[in-house]
Amino acid sequence: MPAISSSAPGKIILCGEHAVVYGQPAIALPITDVQTRCVILAKPNALTQQVLIKDHTFGLDTDLSSLKPEHPIRKTIESVLTELSIDHLPACEVQIHSTIPHSGGLGSSASIAVALTRATANFLGHPLEDIIVNKIAFEIEKLHHRTPSGIDNSVITYAKPVFYMKDTPIELLKLDHPMVLLIADSGIKGSTAKAVELVRKRWKSSPIEYEGFFVEIGGITLKIKRLLQTGDLEEIGELLTYNHQLLKEIGVSLPELDHLVDVAIRSGAYGAKLSGGGLGGNVIALVPPETADQIRSNLLRSGAAHVLVARISPSAGR
Ligand code: PMV
């Protein structure tokens, strides 16, 4: 039996994070420059029904049955088996390789869940529909982030830009204009679960103020959605920077993130903001293509650990 493999991209949240947890819309884009690849090799001659897990990113080299029942990898494989009403995986080796930095807001956990779900189902000879892959990946995201909105698993499952609002059908966006985004890693590991918890506490103690922030952020997302069709990058940039100010006010930025946002803007970016949960992780900057390299160098000189240049092409949309 040949090796079965499946890949899934990373992602960034363009706008609307945190507010999306409270029912506001958000927009996320797949980032194909980083990805997870999952390979499953059948071991037909194995003496036992052993399922070996080799996760190169986390240095995991173990038997599936020795993982805790709630371990995301075990849970993902078992969810696929349940979905297909199959009771076990034949002897095999499951390899997971990911180039997506962990805890950086690039969707590493959802990407692993999606790639592993698809590879497992394909290995069993029963490819799953996207809607089912997305459902399984969402359950796995709950193990990682407790109360995720569902945006990460959605954008990664469909590998298309998405306009996402909880409890409404996912809208895949067609981008009509190319965009260049710099993704600058602050080098500080962010915890989405902690950031979401912090916002929840503050929302509980100042509900009116926080509802106001969320509505404002939701309004930014709606405007950006329209501007993505006209390609007015300057206006999109201004709105991204405004979104960052609001994220700062709700308490999920850090001086290091604010600094990278300032550097990007002073270097000529149309706009910049933190992306994802915050309290670390990445800053994204929308930049004119011709100055991308210069702005990237400035970000690296100003403390960014890595800066990825993501060229989002119009064909990225459906
Ligand atoms: O840190 P990330 O990239 O997984 O993004 C989290 C986005 C939040 O809106 C803060 C949480 C969520 O589940 O949508």
Side-chain angles (χ1 to χ4, degrees):
M1 192 186 196
I4 294 287
S5 83
S6 182
S7 299
K11 70 100 209 357
I12 52 114
I13 296 186
L14 185 65
C15 52
E17 53 273 267
H18 287 289
V20 70
V21 176
Y22 297 83
Q24 294 293 329
I27 295 174
L29 308 176
I31 300 294
T32 49
D33 307 72
V34 286
Q35 58 170 294
T36 302
R37 184 157 175 266
C38 182
V39 178
I40 306 188
L41 301 160
K43 299 269 177 185
N45 301 323
L47 297 176
T48 58
Q49 286 299 313
Q50 198 188 32
V51 174
L52 252 183
I53 305 290
K54 294 198 173 187
D55 183 337
H56 297 260
T57 326
F58 291 99
L60 204 62
D61 185 348
T62 190
D63 194 285
L64 180 65
S65 60
S66 69
L67 295 176
K68 288 198 181 110
E70 293 304 303
H71 191 287
I73 290 178
R74 179 163 176 179
K75 202 78 186 158
T76 305
I77 292 174
E78 289 180 355
S79 302
V80 175
L81 291 170
T82 306
E83 186 64 42
L84 297 174
S85 307
I86 293 176
D87 54 65
H88 71 278
L89 210 53
C92 61
E93 180 175 308
V94 178
Q95 302 173 350
I96 300 168
H97 312 258
S98 182
T99 57
I100 308 177
H102 184 52
S103 304
L106 291 179
S108 65
S109 55
S111 181
I112 292 174
V114 168
L116 181 58
T117 297
R118 288 211 176 105
T120 307
N122 294 351
F123 179 70
L124 292 166
H126 297 283
L128 292 172
E129 285 178 34
D130 287 347
I131 193 165
I132 306 294
V133 173
N134 196 23
K135 183 188 81 173
I136 293 176
F138 184 43
E139 291 309 310
I140 304 304
E141 281 292 272
K142 289 183 191 165
L143 297 176
H144 288 281
H145 306 306
R146 293 197 278 266
T147 54
S149 61
I151 190 168
D152 282 21
N153 44 283
S154 301
V155 64
I156 289 171
T157 297
Y158 293 96
K160 303 278 177 197
V162 296
F163 176 80
Y164 183 85
M165 221 166 148
K166 255 168 137 175
D167 305 324
T168 61
I170 294 156
E171 194 179 327
L172 300 179
L173 293 178
K174 164 105 178 67
L175 302 187
D176 292 326
H177 302 270
M179 286 196 301
V180 180
L181 283 169
L182 300 183
I183 305 172
D185 179 358
S186 66
I188 304 166
K189 297 272 176 217
S191 159
T192 300
K194 271 193 199 146
V196 169
E197 198 44 44
L198 173 101
V199 174
R200 190 173 302 282
K201 274 199 191 124
R202 293 187 175 189
W203 166 68
K204 278 194 176 152
S205 62
S206 314
I208 295 175
E209 187 189 14
Y210 271 68
E211 290 295 342
F213 288 140
F214 301 146
V215 169
E216 189 92 12
I217 292 174
I220 291 176
T221 299
L222 289 172
K223 283 189 192 145
I224 290 182
K225 182 186 181 210
R226 282 195 296 274
L227 291 165
L228 286 171
Q229 311 309 313
T230 57
D232 188 339
L233 300 183
E234 279 180 30
E235 210 174 324
I236 295 174
E238 277 167 26
L239 288 164
L240 293 179
T241 307
Y242 181 36
N243 192 167
H244 180 75
Q245 290 309 322
L246 292 166
L247 287 165
K248 190 173 163 181
E249 283 185 58
I250 69 174
V252 294
S253 191
L254 291 178
E256 292 86 344
L257 300 175
D258 298 339
H259 179 59
L260 292 176
V261 166
D262 286 347
V263 169
I265 292 167
R266 276 192 278 111
S267 309
Y270 294 124
K273 64 183 276 291
L274 71 83
S275 176
L279 301 178
N282 285 288
V283 158
I284 56 169
L286 180 63
V287 301
E290 59 283 6
T291 52
D293 289 342
Q294 183 57 52
I295 301 174
R296 179 174 183 273
S297 305
N298 291 355
L299 286 165
L300 286 168
R301 262 202 306 275
S302 307
H306 309 275
V307 181
L308 193 76
V309 183
R311 295 177 198 278
I312 316 286
S313 63
S315 58
R318 256 186 198 171

